[in-house]
Amino acid sequence: MSGLFDLSGKTALITGGGSGLGAAIARGLSDAGARIVLAARRRDRLEETLGDRAGAVCPVDLMNADAIGELHGFCEARDMMPDIIVSAVGINLRQAADEVDADGWHRTLQLNLTAPFFTAQAFVPHMKAQGWGRVINIASLQSNRAFANSVAYGSAKGGVAQMTRAMAEAWSQHGIMCNALGPGFFPTELTAAVFGNAELAAKNAAQTAIGRNGRLDDIVGPAVFLASEASGYVTGQLLYVDGGFTAK
């Protein structure tokens, strides 16, 4: 049974791998045997996540049009073309609907929706050639419900859910399973405002079936599952990791 979850011999690219859920997933995939390539803006955070694990760091800003090409060249030059892609890069500006401007809208959709698609697309030829691949997108509770001050973020994350299904339709016939994780409330940089409000954090915890908010380690098992042979007949799905928040 353990062989179903063994990632030995695989390479995983994690964007947004320097902090939060991306860093937790990167460590989990590494512990399961994968080499990891970490991509984000802050080299120091990437190096902190990588530590002495097998892999490499590639500081890039996915707001830039050339970043994905740079990332592809980086992986190709080091013989680290990814078998697994996790797009954990993201931003939530928390602007009220009446205050969203064009720049904030563009930045939010670029990092949460556009970059994940084109990152995957860039490496699909490699995955097709070997007949195996895994794409894991990061969706959200906001993929199918609304929260205050998040119209741009919610729009992007709704798009992630549909994009994941479309990716599966296009690429799974080539052995590339495409799925998304939908985290509940986890303590990350994006949710600092939520966890900084004890009353709000407690309210969110009470909304779950389990009775608590997420811990970073809670995302690891689901990510390893979707990255491994264990998910070989699972594609186009959004797996909520939310303690039952969406069940209530």
Side-chain angles (χ1 to χ4, degrees):
M1 179 62 71
S2 62
L4 285 175
F5 301 92
D6 184 8
L7 299 181
S8 298
K10 304 295 186 186
T11 299
L13 166 64
I14 304 95
T15 67
S19 62
L21 295 175
I25 290 170
R27 290 189 290 264
L29 299 184
S30 175
D31 289 344
R35 295 188 304 172
I36 54 176
V37 178
L38 306 177
R41 291 181 297 113
R42 296 173 292 184
R43 177 182 288 275
D44 59 333
R45 299 298 296 273
L46 296 175
E47 291 179 343
E48 181 181 347
T49 299
L50 182 64
D52 60 0
R53 298 173 185 273
V57 303
C58 180
V60 292
D61 184 353
L62 287 167
M63 280 298 301
N64 295 334
D66 297 334
I68 292 172
E70 293 173 11
L71 186 53
H72 187 281
F74 178 92
C75 293
E76 189 172 41
R78 289 158 179 78
D79 194 24
M80 297 185 72
M81 293 289 279
D83 311 291
I84 302 156
I85 296 173
V86 181
S87 286
V89 68
I91 187 174
N92 186 355
L93 299 178
R94 300 188 182 279
Q95 295 174 312
D98 293 346
E99 298 173 359
V100 175
D101 55 24
D103 178 67
W105 180 270
H106 171 68
R107 290 172 61 197
T108 301
L109 267 68
Q110 169 64 26
L111 289 178
N112 290 291
L113 183 62
T114 304
F117 174 74
F118 286 104
T119 299
Q121 184 196 59
F123 293 102
V124 157
H126 164 72
M127 295 180 180
K128 282 184 177 180
Q130 64 185 12
W132 196 100
R134 297 290 187 269
V135 175
I136 303 173
N137 298 314
I138 302 298
S140 168
L141 295 174
Q142 296 191 57
S143 291
N144 69 358
R145 62 155 292 176
F147 285 82
N149 302 324
S150 291
V151 64
Y153 183 79
S155 298
K157 291 301 185 178
V160 167
Q162 178 56 28
M163 178 182 71
T164 300
R165 290 186 284 267
M167 285 177 164
E169 189 280 330
W171 298 331
S172 293
Q173 60 189 300
H174 302 288
I176 305 168
M177 303 302 113
C178 305
N179 295 288
L181 292 169
F185 287 97
F186 283 77
T188 70
E189 291 182 14
L190 287 186
T191 59
V194 174
F195 282 86
N197 182 329
E199 182 179 352
L200 180 56
K203 180 181 178 181
N204 291 332
Q207 176 62 34
T208 69
I210 291 177
R212 66 169 175 84
N213 291 311
R215 305 176 186 123
L216 289 178
D217 287 347
D218 291 327
I219 203 73
V220 172
V224 171
F225 164 66
L226 292 180
S228 69
E229 286 289 351
S231 61
Y233 198 60
V234 179
T235 196
Q237 303 303 307
L238 197 175
L239 173 60
Y240 279 107
V241 186
D242 65 356
F245 190 101
T246 51
K248 291 182 66 174

